Amino acid sequence: MGLLSNRIDKESLKPGDHIYSWRAYVYAHHGIYIGDDKVIHFTRRGQEVGTGTVIDVLLVSSGTTRLPTPCPTCASNEVGHGVVLSCLNCFLSGGNLYRFEYGVSPALFLGKARGGTCTLAVADPDDVVIHRAKYLLENGFGCYNVFKNNCEDFAIYCKTGLLVVDQGTMGQSGQAVSIIGGPLAAVLSTPLRLVTTNVYGMAATAVTVYCASRYAADIGMRRDVVKISAEDLTRRLATGLLQVLEPQISATPVQ
């Protein structure tokens, strides 16, 4: 664990850890380790990547070698509402194991090149985290949305109890911010060519805009979040007081 990598070995795991495994450079799958070699994580009806279009292929094409089939225990999982229980090996799917960091300093947060690895927010006690994860395993976490309600959002909620109240904005997922923030930084820095034509200056400006967008969007910095219990969350979802719509992306469906 440190500035360069959050990679750990299985022996370092403890119940309540937020873990993840990279599937591609910009995409990692996240979950909550609950002990006994078991992980609770959020999927799009059993699929880890959630647009249902060719974008999914692009996200995972450079990823790790996937396990051909899940183990007998994981293969029998019900995935009606997307929150599933898997063994650690099936969750990792041939990838390396990483632990998400909470309560990091601003300097460490900005020093991480990729989003989806740490947050400024402080985690709740492990027993509270495990309760949330198990409760949502039974009751669901709403509709999966790759940009606003994904596996990282699920894990961060389990760890902190924090939820973005304005669903018209981006969720708390750091990797979603990274996917959007990189191109956005390039676009926003383009007008500065009127100020400087130096390629290094333009690159520095783009990096600055990217870092600023990550920092402002972090769940630990946002002001549009509330602390909400898992019971209240599922009640709001069931009564329609809180809704997350599936993304409508115009692209060729994956066959």
Side-chain angles (χ1 to χ4, degrees), residues 4-82:
L4 297 180
S5 176
N6 290 352
R7 185 174 175 179
I8 61 171
D9 53 43
K10 294 180 180 180
E11 290 71 26
S12 300
L13 275 177
K14 66 181 189 302
D17 276 349
H18 172 176
I19 61 175
Y20 61 97
S21 184
W22 289 105
R23 302 298 196 247
Y25 185 79
V26 296
Y27 174 76
H29 191 52
H30 295 247
I32 299 295
Y33 181 72
I34 62 170
D36 297 323
D37 203 41
K38 296 294 188 296
V39 183
I40 296 176
H41 51 117
F42 187 41
T43 66
R44 183 179 183 268
R45 293 186 292 275
Q47 299 176 0
E48 290 182 5
V49 185
T51 67
T53 72
V54 71
I55 293 176
D56 298 348
V57 177
L58 297 177
L59 285 175
V60 301
S61 61
S62 60
T64 57
T65 301
R66 305 293 303 280
L67 297 178
T69 56
C71 70
T73 301
C74 298
S76 61
N77 275 336
E78 296 291 335
V79 293
H81 55 58

